[in-house]
Every structure is written in structure tokens, then in C-alpha cells.
Amino acid sequence: MVFTRRVSKPWAKRDGLPGDYYLPFHLMDAAAAAYMLWDNYLPLGVRRWLGQELGLTEPRTRDFLAFLAGLHDVGKACPCFQDQWPPRNSADYRSHEQVGYLSLPTLLSDFAGLTDPLVDSIAHRIAEVVGSHHGEFQPTQRRHVRRAEGDVLLGGPAWHAYRRGIVDTLRQLIGPVPPARLNRPTAVVLSGIVVLADWIVSDTKWITNSQWKAPDALQERWDHTLRAVRKRLMGLGFVTSSSTARITTLVLVGDRPNALQRSIEDTFRPTGCGILLISAPTAAGKTAAAMVAADRIGHATGRPGLLMCLPTQVTTNAMWERARGFGYPPSPGRGRVTLSHALATAYPPYRHYCADDEALRWLNGPHRPLLAESSVVTIDQLLLAGLAIRFNMLRLFALTGKTLVIDEVHAHQPYMLAVLGRVLSWCGRLGVSVVLLSATVPAHVAGELTAAYLAGTGSAHPPPVEAAGYPGWVWHAVDGSFQKPTTAERTAMSTLGARTARIKHVRYPMGTRTSTILRYARRVREEGGCVAIICGTVPTAQKTFRALKGSDLDDTRILLLHARLPHRQRALTEAQVERMFGKHASRDNGRRPKRAILVCTPLIEQSLDLDFDLVVTDLAPIALLIQRLGRCHRHLRPEEDRPKSARVPTVVVLDPEGDRVPAQWLKLHSGYELRATRGLLMTRPADVVIPDDVDQLVQAVHDLGLSPFDEAAAAEWRGRHATTTFERGLARLSAVPAPQLIDDLAGMTHREVRDTDATTRLGIDDALVVPRWTDSAGLSWLDSAHTVRFPEGEVLTGRQISSLIDVSIRCPATWVQSLDTAVPRWKHAFLCDARVLPLPGRHPLVVDSDLGLVNGLKDDNL
């Protein structure tokens, strides 16, 4: 084998640059980035934590971090990289991250004070960090470190000597001191920082403008690079406040704080990190209370950031709009609030928010939104940190400077809760505080999540889990202590949201669901009012909407909202729903209509501040029915604004007669929980006293620790346990190891799994479809009016990307298996796997202007 590249002056980067960029210069850039990230971005609490973990003073920890980042590309000093040969799929190929991983234990053997680099040493741990800077930890079988110096594939003695020279130069420049220890969870966080430092200084425009003509002399270049990197960090928004602005109950702009919020403000006094559970009825101000709590925690821990997690895109969009009011206004150094879900950058308000902000455009790149000081995300974005996929070390690092707030924690299946539990165990280990919010959380779920967090702290004897009470809150600190409201506060909270509501159980003969709904719809025509009809599935919602539109409700506004509307149509409908039924909609300002019906799926049941006079819903587990009840009479309005027949907040639950539960409902919910809810509604009065009855109802159906309510349900109850156990088992296979159990960093990432393939929700196997309309001349269009051309090339302009996203629709993958993917394949992360839907009439799927995507082969017969 012959290598042509000489050792004299290896390069690090060349594409998009005037020439080859010298490898030592790039390593200095990354070291300077880590140095400046420490000074300007890492909060005080994270700096203290890292120093304690490494057994170093904070200045020495900064030096060590810069040294690590400087080492990240040392493996580029090898013939495979310098010659770009042999091919990557060759058995003789060694990637530069693999070369760094294999050679550093030998190069740093004296640094670790150990003679055998195969020992689980600090030198080897540093090699693991360096080897992971492209998002994957190196497999264990690559630990051939004794061969590094003489291995011809790594360049032999000459290249090994050059790598040693690079290491010695970085030592001379930075003066690192070996840490006293370097455990695996800390190494994961350090890996995330190294990844970020590398990304920051790898921009070719920045290299050309700031570094190309920088001085060559070592110290002069270092001083220049520190200044240049600091300026770049400012431009990218990587400047974190040293402490949070004081948030009090004044954030409740225009509202008087209630008993829950006053209790948090007056009594909650954290002294370190921990986990807080707030459990209270819907519309009880849990989010505002959580903001006050997060501020207190941020002050106590020196970690002022905020990460809010919601269950769906629509709830996340709404919370992002609200969260911007809790943080700093955008400014050159800080204050940006990122929004993250699959279509975040296509959400018009967020797109406008990001339009002229270079920092936000950078933060919206892959894996990056959580790096902002404040972020609002779907729960999926958080769960990715708990899956063994690429760049989870960056996501876990992004959590370290924040308080994590998880809303609607009850709303997730066992698989998601198991992955969430793993994330919380890492939060406990990394000193990240957590706030859990729920109106209807089962006791076993709250207990398991709290226990997972406390177990992650590494305590040999985790403290027992205290119940929050309902309504109430409980704080478990990592030191084993806990806080709860005072007796007087508990008494005051016992009337929180106090009212008598009604859950009316209506059995109807199979096949008469539509006529049953029409009875309630005609009351709207006669008395006025705003009604929500929540359907279990999209086809049921489409069928219901079509029936109402075809009836005698001419003077009633009827809207349809579900997940299979084209993206732009769905966004516009969501905004319209918020205007018509939101908190600030009233007859006086002309927003709240006199007669209106919203037909929807369960999209609206969580975290949306909507107010209806009556809610009609298909049967669902009792916790979800209580959530839907929270959308009924949510805000105080003059009595005359409510219909006479709806003066008491009421949820009408539609349930077909007979013992059978419709098959389509069993795909959404546990059969046991549906039948248990049915039995509960049939045997108790319709009136529900809030908050007194809420927790009792939820635990009766949802607590896995309770026995079934009668013998007939016992088999299904056991089946529910089996399903839960199975989903938890799948989660354990997909998740990263628990921090207290991790024995090899290679287990943190599975090389064969792309993050785009990662599953955060079981049973959600969907696909993206884009319609293609063809005119008489054979030209292709994105719309039926033939106004927007269908893109034909691989490379898309910004306008074409926006147009494609606007018309795109999500649907089950099984519906479109026969369809072609985009030909040619579009080079865009969101659109690359899109299926092209030929219209009209050449496929059972049809895009209807009112109904959205309709499958002609699917029809719910209820």
C-alpha cells in the first residue's frame, strides 16, 4: 500500500475555501470555541457541576474542555483522510474519528498516569469523547490501541509522531491539568460540548472571513481566534444570562393569582436540583405556576434556561406563542425562544420570527434547537435524547443548562413513558431539574417518573416518593428532602376550579351516531352557542362534518380540524379556532360567533385554551374525558352568553349500545380502560364535583396498581398489564443505558439507526404525501387550480420548499406503499421520503378541499 500525502502540512478543511486549511489551525479554532463557550454560554451551575465531576477548579475545567475540543480532529493526521483514499467502504479505510479514538490512549498515556491504555482510564475516556464528535461513539471492538503507533492504516510511526506533536502543541498552548476522574455520564456531556465547538468553527464563510489571514505565530493566532470566536458566539446567540429575570405571579398579566400559584410563590423554596410534580384541574393555571417554579429553580441551581415539552404540534405552537412572554425579548446576545417539531420552521409566526435573525436560522438546523436558552418543543424532541441514536450527547448536553417543564405528562403511552423515564434518570444524574404538569396523571405514572429521576442521581438508597395530593404539588430534591404546600394552602387549593360539571353518558343504537349528533347540533341552531364535537378518528370526523354540512344548519358556522388536512390549511384552521373559541374571543369583540360547531379529533383536548358551551365526544378513557371537560365553560362569561340548555358545563359521551367496543377505538385506547370507563359512567351519577371527584375517577380506571372494578374486566386488565410490559421492553431495547448502569459509551449510540428512523411513539408509522395535479397539456401542479408548478428537480428553492410543505399531508404509511417517492428524490430532510399522490382518480386517496385527505377504502361505521 502506498500513501502519497507527506506528513509536512496536513489539511483539515478545503471545500468552499480558497485552499487547504491547516489542521493545527482548525484544532486551535475548536479549542477557542470551547474556551469561549465556557465563558459566555455555559451557565454557572453547569460550570460548577463539571468542575465537581472532574475534580478540578473551574479555570482548570475550562482548560481541560478546550484541550478536549482541540483534540477532536487529531485523527485527520492520517493518510486515509489526507489522501481521501481508500474508499470509505474499503476494509483498509480508517475514518479520522476512528484514528483519533485508536491513537489518543497511547498519546495521552502519561496524561492519565497509567501505562496500560487498555485499562478503563482517563486517557481512554478522552479517546471516546474525541471519537464521538460526529455523533456516534466508537464500537468496543475497535479498541486496538496498542497497534496505533505501528499500524500502517493509521500512517505508521511518522504520522503517529506528527499526532504526538499536535497534542504537545495544544498542551503548550492551553496548559491542561489531568482531571482527577472522568466518569461516563460526564464524558457524554463533554462529548456534546466538543460537537458544538466543532460545528461553530467549521463554517467556511467564517473561516474565510475571520481566520484565513490570521497570524501564524502560535500565541498571536490564539489571541486572535479567541476574539473571533467570541464575536461568532454572540452572533449565534450563544450567550446565556448569569441569572434569570425575576418572574413572579405578575406574569399572569391581568389575572389574579389563584391558590396554586400563590402556594408556589410563597412556599416553594428549592436549594438545589430536583423534580416537581404539579397536579391540578384543567384551567387551574399550572403553566404559570410552572414558570414561577422554574424561575426559582433556575436561581437555586444556576441553570436559568427553560425547555417546555408539549404532546402535539398544535399545543406546542400555542405554548411557544405564550412562552415568548415569559422570557427575555430577543436581543443581540440572548433571549431567543426556539420552536421545535417536524414542521416548526413552516409555522408562519415562527418563520416570521426567525426571518431576519442569523442566530435563529443557525439554531433551527438539525439537532440544534434545544441549544437555545429557551425552547418549546414536542415531547418527541425530548425523547430523542433518551434513544440510542446519533447526536444524543448533544441533546443531553443541551438539557444541562435548563429546567425541564413537561406538560400533559399523562398523555403518553407506556413506551413513551418508559423512554421519558430514562431521560429523567439522566436529568437526575446531570443535575437537571424537572417540572411535571398534569390534570389527570395516574398515581403509578407520577410515582414511576419521580422514582426514575431519583434513581438517576446515583444514590444507593433513593428516597421514597411522596404523593402530591390533588390539587397540589410536591418537590423531591436530590438530597432526599421534599417540600409540599402548607395545610392552609392545601385547604385553599381544595376549592381550585371548584364547580359542578356533568359527564352525560348517551348510549345509541349502532348506526345512529350521526342522527344522535344532529339532535345536539340543532340545539345550536335554536339556542345559539359554541359546540365541540370530538371524534375518535379522522374518518369519523370527516363523516360527521359532511353530515352536518349537508343538514339544515345553514346559519351555523361549521369547522373541521384534524391531522390529515394539508399543512397550510391546518395551520390556518388552527389559528381560526383560536380566534373564535380562545380566551380573548367574545361577542363584544366580534370574535366569538353566536352559532358555531367545531368537528375535530382529540387534537384540542390538551394545553389549548379553548372554551365551548358544550362538548360532544366519542367514548374515551375517563382521564381524556376529564381533559375534554376542561374545554367546556373554561372561562367565565355572562350567563346570557351561554345557551339555556348548557348553563352547566357538560360533556356528552356517545357510546354505541351493546358490549362490543368499536374496533377503530381499540386501535387508539386500551380496551380495558374503555370498558372500565363505560362501567364507571353507567354506575355513577352524571354530576362531577371538581376538583373533589377528579383524582378518584382517574385512579379508578388508570392506576395499574388497582384491581379491576369487576370480575368481567379481569382478563382485559391482565392484557393491559401485558401490553404495558411489552411496550416497556421495547423502550429498553431502544433507549440509552441508564446513567447509573452504563458500562460502555458505545451503547449510547446504535450505528445502524438514523435519528430520522427513531421511534418515539409506537404505532405511529406515517408517511408524507404531496399531491400532483396534471392538466390537459400534461403539466404537473401542486394545486387543483393549477397555480403552483410541481417541482421537477432535486435541488429545491426556498419558495418551492415552502409550497411543498404547504400542501403536504401526513397519513398512515400503509395507505401509500404503492406510491412512488419523489422522483427525482428531493434533497431536503423533511421532503426526501415524500410520496407523490397522483390526482385525481388514480388512487383511493383523494384530497378534498373541505375534508382533507380521504381514503375511499376507509369508512367508520358507528
Side-chain angles (χ1 to χ4, degrees), residues 218-478:
L218 190 65
Q219 190 60 49
E220 291 180 24
R221 187 176 188 93
W222 177 247
D223 294 338
H224 164 88
T225 302
L226 288 174
R227 292 191 298 269
V229 167
R230 188 178 189 281
K231 183 178 179 181
R232 176 156 173 77
L233 290 181
M234 290 289 292
L236 295 179
F238 285 107
V239 179
T240 297
S241 54
S242 59
S243 63
T244 55
R246 189 74 181 97
I247 299 175
T248 69
T249 47
L250 293 177
V251 298
L252 308 174
V253 184
D255 291 346
R256 297 177 60 186
N258 61 32
L260 170 66
Q261 295 152 355
R262 284 196 303 269
S263 175
I264 292 290
E265 178 68 19
D266 296 341
T267 303
F268 181 52
R269 294 290 185 273
T271 58
C273 60
I275 184 167
L276 172 67
L277 171 66
I278 300 177
S279 186
T282 56
K286 293 186 292 296
T287 301
M291 294 303 99
V292 177
D295 175 72
R296 289 279 173 84
I297 293 168
H299 277 281
T301 61
R303 305 185 187 211
L306 178 68
L307 178 64
M308 297 197 67
C309 304
L310 286 299
T312 64
Q313 290 183 17
V314 62
T315 56
T316 304
N317 290 341
M319 187 58 71
W320 174 78
E321 299 274 9
R322 185 178 182 189
R324 284 188 296 163
F326 289 128
Y328 300 100
S331 62
R334 67 186 189 202
R336 295 162 182 86
V337 182
T338 54
L339 172 69
S340 183
H341 55 69
L343 287 173
T345 55
Y347 179 54
Y350 187 62
R351 188 162 51 190
H352 176 73
Y353 178 75
C354 299
D356 300 319
D357 193 316
E358 178 188 0
L360 282 168
R361 289 197 297 272
W362 195 89
L363 286 168
N364 286 327
H367 320 295
R368 299 174 187 169
L370 271 62
L371 293 168
E373 185 174 10
S374 299
S375 301
V376 182
V377 306
T378 52
I379 188 70
D380 309 78
Q381 303 301 312
L382 173 67
L383 296 183
L384 288 174
L387 298 178
I389 57 175
R390 294 181 72 224
F391 293 109
N392 57 18
M393 72 286 290
L394 186 66
R395 295 184 177 93
L396 288 169
F397 159 64
L399 298 181
T400 57
K402 299 177 174 65
T403 296
L404 175 60
V405 179
I406 306 175
D407 202 358
E408 310 289 2
V409 73
H410 61 275
H412 310 302
Q413 59 187 196
Y415 173 86
M416 296 176 70
L417 288 171
V419 177
L420 177 59
R422 187 59 50 84
V423 173
L424 295 187
S425 69
W426 274 88
C427 288
R429 179 62 182 85
L430 304 181
V432 177
S433 295
V434 178
V435 180
L436 305 176
L437 307 178
S438 180
T440 53
V441 62
H444 76 278
V445 170
E448 288 171 2
L449 293 179
T450 302
Y453 180 91
L454 296 173
T457 63
S459 172
H461 303 286
V465 176
E466 290 286 325
Y470 194 90
W473 57 268
V474 61
W475 164 258
H476 288 86
V478 295

Side-chain angles (χ1 to χ4, degrees), residues 600-619:
C600 59
T601 54
L603 282 174
I604 71 163
E605 74 187 15
Q606 294 159 347
S607 298
L608 289 179
D609 198 2
L610 303 179
D611 177 16
F612 297 95
D613 302 312
L614 176 70
V615 173
V616 180
T617 175
D618 289 327
L619 179 68

Side-chain angles (χ1 to χ4, degrees), residues 757-793:
D757 297 329
T759 300
T760 57
R761 303 177 190 235
L762 284 186
I764 307 298
D765 184 15
D766 60 3
L768 187 75
V769 294
V770 173
R772 175 160 55 192
W773 306 78
T774 306
D775 63 16
S776 57
L779 297 176
S780 296
W781 305 84
L782 282 175
D783 62 326
S784 58
H786 301 166
T787 63
V788 183
R789 288 297 303 273
F790 189 94
E792 300 293 345

Side-chain angles (χ1 to χ4, degrees), residues 614-636:
L614 176 70
V615 173
V616 180
T617 175
D618 289 327
L619 179 68
I622 191 67
L624 300 183
L625 296 182
I626 292 171
Q627 289 289 331
R628 295 169 194 184
L629 184 59
R631 307 298 171 261
C632 190
H633 292 219
R634 188 174 180 88
H635 299 298
L636 292 176

